Amino acid sequence: MKPTLPVAVTALALCLGLIWAGLLVRTHLAGTASVADRFETVLLDLRIALAGQKPPPKDVVIIAIDDETIDAVGPYPLPRDALAALVDRIRDAGARALAVDILLFGASDETADGMLANSLASLPTVVAGAARMREGAAPASGVPVVETMLSPAPALAAATSTGLVNIVTDSGGTPRHVPMLFLTDTGLLPSFSLQAAAKYLSTSPNITEAGVTLGGRAVELDSGWHLALNYVGSGGAIRTLSAGDLLDPPAGFSPELDGRMAVLGVTATAVGDRFSTPFDPVMPGVEVQATAIANLLEAAPLVRTAGVRKLDSAAALLITLGAMIAVILLPLAPASIFYLMLLSGWLVICVVFFGQGLWLNATLPFAASLPPVVGLLITRQVTDRVEARRLLRAQEALSRFQSPRLAERISEDPSFLATPKEESAAILFVDLSGYTSLSERLGAARTRDFLKEFHTIVVNVVSDEHGIVLDFMGDGAMLGFGIPEAHPDDPERACRCAFALERDVAAWLRKTGRDRDISSVRVGAHLGQVVLSRLGHDRQQQIAATGDCVNVASRLLEVAKDHKVSVVLSADLLEEVEKSAGSLETPRMETVAIRGRQQELKVGLWASGEAPEFN
């Protein structure tokens, strides 16, 4: 495989391609959002859809303040004494811990606040807080920086723990990550979901470089200690109880909260936050928080760690480099197929590993490789077209000095006949009798015009029979059949060419009145082994056919002159024609002596106008 692009262009393309891919990789490793992430979310949702819904978590139950609860208890927000009663019912049902995804900021009735504070303090509880983040102020660790914070009422905050419910959504508003830590003026604050999981496990979270450990369970996190959400399914996939049923249990109702994590939140229509998720276009925020808590408790979030991001980056760089090298070295079609195979293979890997909970970035290799590879493909196509036009012009120019068939073969294979080869071929010689005296009378310019017309007839006749002109020699020409490749009907085509030459040249002479000057047209042809080779210097060569066959064919013109005929064909040639086309009607067969050759040769002789019929 040889590069078709100039070395400078190749080096520049590789450098620019790797720089582009490196910039995207750097952004990806830093966890910074980019345009490619928009496409990644689409491919991620496709993988989620392929994986389907998962079994609901066993330890997490949602207590929903739904439409039925509001109809029964009163308008939202529910009175805090009603919330206190609800918390008591959750505790009495055996819940091990409670996460209240309701913003209980500001004081209300002192007695009601006291009742709710006492209820919240009666079991491990975390209450939601919310914060506004400082834009562009994230430290190198990637932990969100809190600018302002909305906390529960002081009485409630004193009775329980507070966790921030802020989440990270993509450009389409779908929650993808939940920060586990927030940087406040007083230090690091755990998130709502992390606080809830720690309360349930009766432990303190241990933050490590790679993630967080809860009660011996290691949970791997994304950059900045963000939890990549692994959704269970559509709305209601996590077991959900109506708060109204807890406050006023219907007959036979059993909450089955014993030893479970209860997540209290709002699902009532037009109340509370709603999010679009891969499974559900409208999912209550409490279910998103419950999903995060379940991911922590089961140590089963989507795995998107620093190591996974490095794997994404390595794939992007290798695919980009491999595809560009393929475009440089291979023909465009195979290179394009190879590039598509690389991308398809990476997509398959992403889908397979997603089934194991590993979130590989399917888009990054596309985004990193597509611009440089497409740019290189276009550059290569333009370069190839320019080179093809140059080669075509060179071939056309070469065809003026060599037979077009030889020129094409040389352009396709510059090493053609670098080593001489021997093969069977039919060689023809044609010349004009009386040319010397004619050229003396015509002068140089008119002689050139005369020869040009003669040579045009020769080229047209030999081309019609798929032979080649090996050489022009003034008023004569040397022709070959079976060069550069042999064919079974070469002998027959050589014979047809011999008679056609005599006929067409004679007709031209009569038409132009030159038959008074040129007494006859002579053609001699022989079949035998010839040596095809390059003759000349390394920097100036020509393709030549040499050997006894060539010498004999040229001497047959003398035989034609001595016997006053126009066409002389050797018996060797006639015998080969007979095998494929049948015997030719031969007016005379003679055994003649060939000048410079000891062995005599049997030949067929035809006078002008005696051309035989071919079957």
Side-chain angles (χ1 to χ4, degrees):
M1 294 181 292
K2 183 179 179 181
T4 59
L5 291 173
V7 175
V9 174
T10 300
L12 179 61
L14 287 173
C15 289
L16 292 177
L18 291 177
I19 288 173
W20 165 260
L23 291 174
L24 290 182
V25 163
R26 181 180 178 184
T27 300
H28 181 63
L29 290 174
T32 307
S34 67
V35 176
D37 291 336
R38 298 185 180 183
F39 298 97
E40 173 60 16
T41 56
V42 175
L43 296 179
L44 177 61
D45 287 346
L46 288 175
R47 280 171 277 174
I48 292 174
L50 287 174
Q53 297 202 144
K54 303 173 183 63
K58 296 179 293 183
D59 298 329
V60 179
V61 179
I62 296 174
I63 310 300
I65 300 177
D66 52 15
D67 292 332
E68 290 76 12
T69 302
I70 292 177
D71 289 342
V73 177
Y76 187 83
L78 296 183
R80 290 187 178 175
D81 54 353
L83 284 177
L86 180 58
V87 172
D88 291 340
R89 295 294 177 87
I90 293 171
R91 180 199 62 221
D92 295 342
R96 185 190 297 181
L98 172 65
V100 181
D101 185 23
I102 302 172
L103 295 177
L104 300 173
F105 60 93
S108 63
D109 180 81
E110 185 176 347
T111 302
D113 282 353
M115 292 175 58
L116 181 55
N118 290 333
S119 297
L120 293 173
S122 65
L123 78 165
T125 306
V126 59
V127 177
R132 179 180 177 182
M133 302 303 157
R134 192 174 302 167
E135 296 294 335
S141 63
V143 175
V145 179
V146 174
E147 183 173 331
T148 59
M149 181 172 168
L150 192 63
S151 300
L156 304 179
T160 184
S161 299
T162 301
L164 296 182
V165 293
N166 296 73
I167 58 178
V168 178
T169 62
D170 60 23
S171 58
T174 298
R176 299 293 180 183
H177 290 87
V178 176
M180 293 290 99
L181 298 172
F182 296 88
L183 184 60
T184 69
D185 293 339
T186 59
L188 290 174
L189 177 66
S191 69
F192 176 80
S193 54
L194 182 58
Q195 290 265 41
K199 295 285 185 184
Y200 179 79
L201 296 173
S202 302
T203 187
S204 296
N206 180 25
I207 305 299
T208 66
E209 184 178 354
V212 62
T213 302
L214 287 166
R217 306 178 188 184
V219 181
E220 295 180 296
L221 301 177
D222 202 347
S223 302
W225 290 280
H226 284 57
L227 180 84
L229 287 170
N230 191 2
Y231 286 97
V232 175
S234 56
I238 297 177
R239 181 168 170 249
T240 303
L241 301 177
S242 172
D245 290 341
L246 281 171
L247 292 171
D248 185 14
F253 174 75
S254 176
E256 298 180 2
L257 293 178
D258 189 34
R260 288 176 170 77
M261 176 80 232
V263 184
L264 176 59
V266 181
T267 63
T269 305
V271 179
D273 48 2
R274 297 287 190 277
F275 297 97
S276 171
T277 70
F279 289 107
D280 198 329
V282 182
M283 178 179 282
V286 66
E287 283 205 57
V288 176
Q289 294 295 338
T291 298
I293 295 170
N295 288 170
L296 287 169
L297 292 178
E298 297 179 353
L302 291 178
V303 179
R304 198 187 201 195
T305 62
V308 172
R309 287 181 178 268
K310 289 179 181 178
L311 182 58
D312 298 334
S313 302
L317 292 174
L318 289 175
I319 288 175
T320 300
L321 183 60
M324 293 184 73
I325 291 176
V327 172
I328 292 170
L329 296 179
L330 299 177
L332 291 180
S336 300
I337 293 173
F338 178 73
Y339 176 47
L340 293 177
M341 289 176 61
L342 288 177
L343 294 179
S344 300
W346 178 248
L347 285 178
V348 171
I349 291 173
C350 290
V351 171
V352 170
F353 279 91
F354 188 81
Q356 309 301 316
L358 194 65
W359 179 3
L360 293 171
N361 193 302
T363 305
L364 184 62
F366 279 85
S369 63
L370 196 59
V373 170
V374 171
L376 190 58
L377 281 170
I378 294 173
T379 302
R380 167 78 184 278
Q381 190 172 36
V382 171
T383 303
D384 285 356
R385 287 184 178 180
V386 171
E387 181 66 13
R389 286 196 292 267
R390 187 191 68 79
L391 289 175
L392 181 59
R393 289 194 298 269
Q395 182 178 325
E396 289 174 350
L398 182 61
S399 297
R400 298 176 184 272
F401 300 94
Q402 291 281 359
S403 164
R405 292 175 61 191
L406 280 177
E408 181 180 0
R409 179 63 182 274
I410 294 170
S411 64
E412 292 175 352
D413 180 13
S415 64
F416 175 60
L417 293 183
T419 301
K421 69 174 183 176
E422 185 176 357
E423 63 182 27
S424 177
I427 301 297
L428 282 73
F429 279 85
V430 58
D431 74 351
L432 303 175
S433 177
Y435 166 75
T436 302
S437 59
L438 175 63
S439 62
E440 184 180 2
R441 293 195 305 273
L442 290 178
R446 293 173 63 191
T447 298
R448 181 200 60 193
D449 295 338
F450 172 80
L451 289 177
K452 186 174 182 180
E453 292 181 31
F454 169 61
H455 292 157
T456 299
I457 295 173
V458 172
V459 170
N460 290 339
V461 171
V462 76
S463 296
D464 289 343
E465 296 298 340
H466 305 289
I468 65 171
V469 177
L470 291 169
D471 196 8
F472 287 112
M473 300 165 289
D475 65 329
M478 175 182 171
L479 317 176
F481 289 83
I483 301 171
E485 289 89 16
H487 300 86
D489 60 344
D490 286 333
E492 180 183 350
R493 290 190 286 108
C495 289
R496 283 202 302 264
C497 179
F499 291 109
L501 277 174
E502 190 278 330
R503 180 188 66 240
D504 290 0
V505 172
W508 166 67
L509 292 173
R510 288 193 299 271
K511 181 179 179 181
T512 58
R514 297 299 180 189
D515 55 332
R516 295 187 300 271
D517 302 303
I518 303 299
S519 58
S520 63
V521 181
R522 296 189 292 258
V523 180
H526 181 47
L527 178 71
Q529 295 296 114
V530 299
V531 177
L532 297 179
S533 62
R534 296 186 176 199
L535 297 182
H537 189 268
D538 288 343
R539 290 177 295 179
Q540 183 176 349
Q541 299 177 339
Q542 68 178 41
I543 303 298
T546 57
D548 181 64
C549 176
V550 177
N551 296 331
V552 170
S554 66
R555 297 289 187 264
L556 291 181
L557 295 179
E558 299 177 2
V559 174
K561 179 180 179 180
D562 294 341
H563 289 76
K564 295 182 172 51
V565 295
S566 296
V567 178
V568 179
L569 305 180
S570 70
D572 294 338
L573 177 60
L574 294 175
E575 288 174 3
E576 289 299 318
V577 173
E578 186 176 353
K579 293 178 183 178
S580 58
S583 61
L584 297 180
E585 182 180 347
T586 308
R588 268 195 298 167
M589 293 293 296
E590 297 281 351
T591 300
V592 297
I594 303 298
R595 181 167 59 89
R597 194 171 187 261
Q598 294 182 352
Q599 186 177 359
E600 294 183 332
L601 184 68
K602 189 175 183 180
V603 297
L605 307 174
W606 285 265
S608 180
E610 293 182 341
E613 294 291 333
F614 285 84
N615 296 330

